[in-house]
Amino acid sequence: MAAASPIQSLRDEASCSVCLEYFTDPVFVDCGHAFCRPCITRCWEGLETNFPCPQCRETSQSNVLRPIRQLANVVEMVKQLHVPSVKTQEENLCEKHEEKLKLFCEDDQKPICVICRESREHKAHTVLPIREAAQEYKKKLQLHMEQLNKKLQELQEWTEAETRTDLELEEKFKSERERILTAFDNLKEFLEQEKQRLLSSLDKEQEENMKRIRGNVTALEKQQQNLKNLIREIEGKCQQQDVELLKDVHPILCRCDDVKVLKPKDESADMERSLLVFGLQHSYLQEKLKELKESFPAELEWRHLGGIRCVFPPKMTKINDT
């Protein structure tokens, strides 16, 4: 942070630490600190002994105030000084008063100077020293970043699980395809058309399941990217100077609070049921192969098994009926 200019330092020295304005009728207390006569009088109002210094807290048994005429003269000269104009953003100065931004208004969520603090606009607001406020909000940002990292870890774990499920299902569907092909090779002469229909149904089922799984992976990866972007934004924010860190920090905190991670619906049971249906069909075909060959010349009947089109001779029942 840039050092205060000599003129600004002189103005600070000519200001009362109680009212933060230029001294009015400056007086000394026993410890040597100076205050406006009205300010110290208000501070000691109602006390009869042990008069404390508002700045160092040292107490005095006497409430006698000694005027400082030389300091009063210096204050009048300081009031006439002109502070050279500077770029308020680069120097962290108040745009209105060109004073150092030493305070942070929690009600308005912005840095202010000591003159702003005494104005009607901020008089009744909660105000903190700029450094204290920066540390407090940095802790809030870091806490949100920890929570976001936990959510990111959850998303990564879910993504890995979905990816594994994708590979496992691919192998299961591949195995099931081979079993169906083997079964229908034995019936190729009789069931060529029905074989193609069943394989088409299997392909459709596999495609729908794979589409859902890959859609879940895509959605999870998108959530991860959004969290990574927000975390990078917070990390960049935490590297900024106090004033810059506090600017626009509230919307980031709100976005952090609004973050929700969505876990994909577990559809493994439905997928297993679909695979079970194909497995039952395979077993059925193997068991009934001989009977099917003998009775196949009869008229065919279409029935549905678990949403999958299956072919049975008219005299044969569904698997669930056997």
Side-chain angles (χ1 to χ4, degrees), residues 139-315:
K139 289 179 181 179
K140 290 182 179 180
L141 286 170
Q142 290 172 342
L143 178 61
H144 279 294
M145 185 165 63
E146 290 176 3
Q147 295 171 346
L148 290 172
N149 277 320
K150 290 180 181 179
K151 293 177 181 178
L152 176 61
Q153 184 178 358
E154 287 182 353
L155 285 172
Q156 290 172 337
E157 291 173 355
W158 296 342
T159 302
E160 291 174 1
E162 290 297 316
T163 301
R164 287 194 299 270
T165 301
D166 185 6
L167 295 175
E168 290 170 1
L169 283 173
E170 186 175 358
E171 288 300 318
K172 290 178 180 180
F173 276 105
K174 180 179 179 181
S175 176
E176 190 61 36
R177 176 186 294 272
E178 292 173 354
R179 294 174 63 190
I180 291 173
L181 286 171
T182 300
F184 273 92
D185 281 343
N186 296 329
L187 299 173
K188 189 172 184 180
E189 182 178 356
F190 308 98
L191 303 174
E192 183 63 27
Q193 182 179 359
E194 285 67 30
K195 178 190 70 174
Q196 294 300 327
R197 290 177 179 176
L198 185 57
L199 286 176
S200 176
S201 178
L202 178 65
D203 288 339
K204 181 179 179 180
E205 187 75 16
Q206 178 181 2
E207 180 62 26
E208 290 177 353
N209 281 281
M210 293 300 101
K211 185 177 180 180
R212 284 196 295 269
I213 293 297
R214 288 160 185 164
N216 290 341
V217 172
T218 300
L220 289 169
E221 289 174 345
K222 184 176 180 180
Q223 291 185 71
Q224 289 185 71
Q225 187 60 47
N226 291 338
L227 282 180
K228 288 178 180 179
N229 291 340
L230 183 54
I231 290 171
R232 281 196 295 269
E233 184 177 352
I234 292 176
E235 289 174 342
K237 196 69 175 171
C238 289
Q239 299 300 319
Q240 296 177 351
Q241 294 294 328
D242 295 342
V243 174
E244 290 299 322
L245 182 144
L246 292 169
K247 291 179 179 178
D248 299 325
V249 70
H250 185 67
I252 296 179
L253 294 176
C254 290
R255 286 163 56 199
C256 292
D257 291 333
D258 291 339
V259 169
K260 293 181 178 61
V261 293
L262 302 176
K263 183 177 181 179
K265 177 183 176 182
D266 185 4
E267 298 179 333
S268 58
D270 293 336
M271 299 175 186
E272 290 295 337
R273 280 195 294 269
S274 297
L275 288 170
L276 177 61
V277 169
F278 283 103
L280 291 173
Q281 177 67 7
H282 168 262
S283 299
Y284 177 84
L285 290 173
Q286 289 287 79
E287 181 181 352
K288 300 297 181 179
L289 179 60
K290 183 177 180 180
E291 182 180 354
L292 183 61
K293 287 182 178 179
E294 294 173 352
S295 60
F296 189 79
E299 185 179 353
L300 295 179
E301 176 185 357
W302 282 103
R303 301 186 184 178
H304 290 269
L305 180 62
I308 301 173
R309 297 185 71 189
C310 304
V311 181
F312 301 97
K315 295 181 180 180

Side-chain angles (χ1 to χ4, degrees), residues 89-105:
Q89 186 175 2
E90 295 179 359
E91 297 295 331
N92 291 331
L93 300 182
C94 174
E95 294 181 359
K96 184 176 181 181
H97 303 109
E98 292 192 354
E99 292 285 338
K100 284 285 186 179
L101 296 171
K102 296 181 178 180
L103 305 171
F104 180 74
C105 176

